Amino acid sequence: MRTVLRALATAAATLLVATAVSPAPAQARPEPKAPEGFVALRSVDPTIIQEMRYTTAHTFLGERVDGYRQPVCILTRPAARALHLAQKRLLRQGYSLKVYDCYRPQRAVDHFVRWAKDLDDQAMRGEFYPLVDKSRLFDDGYIAEKSGHSRGSTVDLTLVRLPALPTRPYRPGEPLAPCFAPKGERFPDNSVDMGTGYDCFDTLSHTDDPRIQGAQRANRQFLKRTLTDVGFVNLPEEWWHFTHKPELFPDTYFDFPVDRRSVAGR
């Protein structure tokens, strides 16, 4: 009996020591929040249409992008207010802005970089980069390790003629049409015809490409003129890409998630 008791005591002591030295379970680090100066666009102008592409599988990656948790446009307050001014003018003319992407966390940019380096993954080439060799995405400037979007004052957007018709959701695996195909052939979008779809990796996406004429060119110039008047500068290689100047955070690349909680109350 004494032998049994000694064995039990030894086991209990061993368990007590093991419990005492076992490290506490690691706690997940809290997600960073947006600093003061960032707002949800909807709190500044709820009339601007939001079609946040990177929360869906309809991207050049073919999947939701890292860091995009909710379909909410987050921007610096000056950029959001400038969009509000542009929207007021457009509504009087029968148009609305539609944003595709706003603030973009660094983890999303990192996701782009990983995807671009995987030359075997070309699932969405038929729509987004039909004529571009994926091995050239970095050299040609379509993908970079840093993005102005991560500073919070850059937005990707287009124009929609009112009343806005709904855009049907993308169905993963559906046949793809080139992003520069005629509007009736490429993926349907309720925006005006800009000559290419959004995120089209092709020189036809250059704002002033001379091959874009007629109504398509007029639409691009209308968008550019409207946003230039409220302080935005267009990226010449992408008709949809605009940065509000001066930037509130010109040298900081943020990595808080795209989530309403990141700008709670703003």
Side-chain angles (χ1 to χ4, degrees):
M1 184 67 178
R2 284 197 297 270
T3 302
V4 172
L5 290 174
R6 279 198 301 272
L8 289 174
T10 300
T14 302
L15 179 60
L16 184 61
V17 170
T19 302
V21 300
S22 294
Q27 294 185 352
R29 287 189 302 172
E31 285 283 11
K33 302 290 185 183
E36 291 295 328
F38 278 89
V39 295
L41 175 61
R42 200 170 298 282
S43 71
V44 177
D45 193 316
T47 70
I48 295 175
I49 300 167
Q50 298 189 27
E51 186 183 313
M52 302 298 291
R53 280 286 184 89
Y54 295 154
T55 63
T56 77
H58 191 208
T59 68
F60 54 85
L61 293 80
E63 61 184 356
R64 177 193 287 256
V65 179
D66 288 356
Y68 285 83
R69 302 200 179 150
Q70 293 179 320
V72 53
C73 172
I74 297 173
L75 287 170
T76 56
R77 190 180 299 276
R81 286 175 172 169
L83 288 185
H84 172 62
L85 291 177
Q87 179 74 347
K88 288 201 301 183
R89 299 177 188 180
L90 288 168
L91 290 175
R92 292 194 292 267
Q93 300 175 75
Y95 292 89
S96 172
L97 293 171
K98 179 172 81 168
V99 295
Y100 293 115
D101 190 35
C102 303
Y103 156 76
R104 180 184 303 166
Q106 181 61 44
R107 69 191 75 180
V109 180
D110 296 342
H111 192 179
F112 292 174
V113 170
R114 291 195 306 273
W115 167 83
K117 290 179 178 178
D118 181 2
L119 301 184
D120 292 329
D121 181 357
Q122 304 207 21
M124 300 299 285
R125 180 173 185 175
E127 178 173 355
F128 292 98
Y129 53 107
L131 302 181
V132 179
D133 191 304
K134 192 176 180 184
S135 66
R136 294 199 52 82
L137 292 181
F138 289 103
D139 291 339
D140 291 351
Y142 294 112
I143 300 292
E145 295 186 352
K146 294 289 184 181
S147 169
H149 281 274
S150 302
R151 301 193 297 264
S153 295
T154 295
V155 60
D156 293 342
L157 74 177
T158 189
L159 292 171
V160 175
R161 183 73 178 172
L162 297 174
L165 299 174
T167 295
R168 72 163 177 82
Y170 167 75
R171 297 184 294 269
E174 68 176 82
L176 302 177
C179 53
F180 47 71
K183 184 172 174 62
E185 298 177 19
R186 60 182 184 259
F187 185 84
D189 191 307
N190 62 358
S191 68
V192 302
D193 188 2
M194 294 290 190
T196 77
Y198 169 56
D199 263 354
C200 187
F201 295 4
D202 193 274
T203 54
L204 282 169
S205 294
H206 293 188
T207 307
D208 294 319
D209 188 286
R211 293 168 292 176
I212 301 297
Q213 294 293 326
Q216 298 170 339
R217 187 174 189 84
N219 288 335
R220 291 187 184 190
Q221 293 305 314
F222 181 29
L223 175 64
K224 181 180 177 180
R225 184 171 60 251
T226 300
L227 293 179
T228 299
D229 286 348
V230 294
F232 284 91
V233 176
N234 174 239
L235 178 69
E237 291 77 20
E238 297 176 352
W239 60 257
W240 56 81
H241 180 118
F242 291 84
T243 299
H244 188 258
K245 301 287 186 174
E247 294 186 63
L248 190 60
F249 301 103
D251 302 310
T252 308
Y253 296 83
F254 294 97
D255 193 38
F256 57 86
V258 177
D259 188 305
R260 293 180 185 89
R261 288 172 294 186
S262 294
V263 287
R266 287 179 269 149

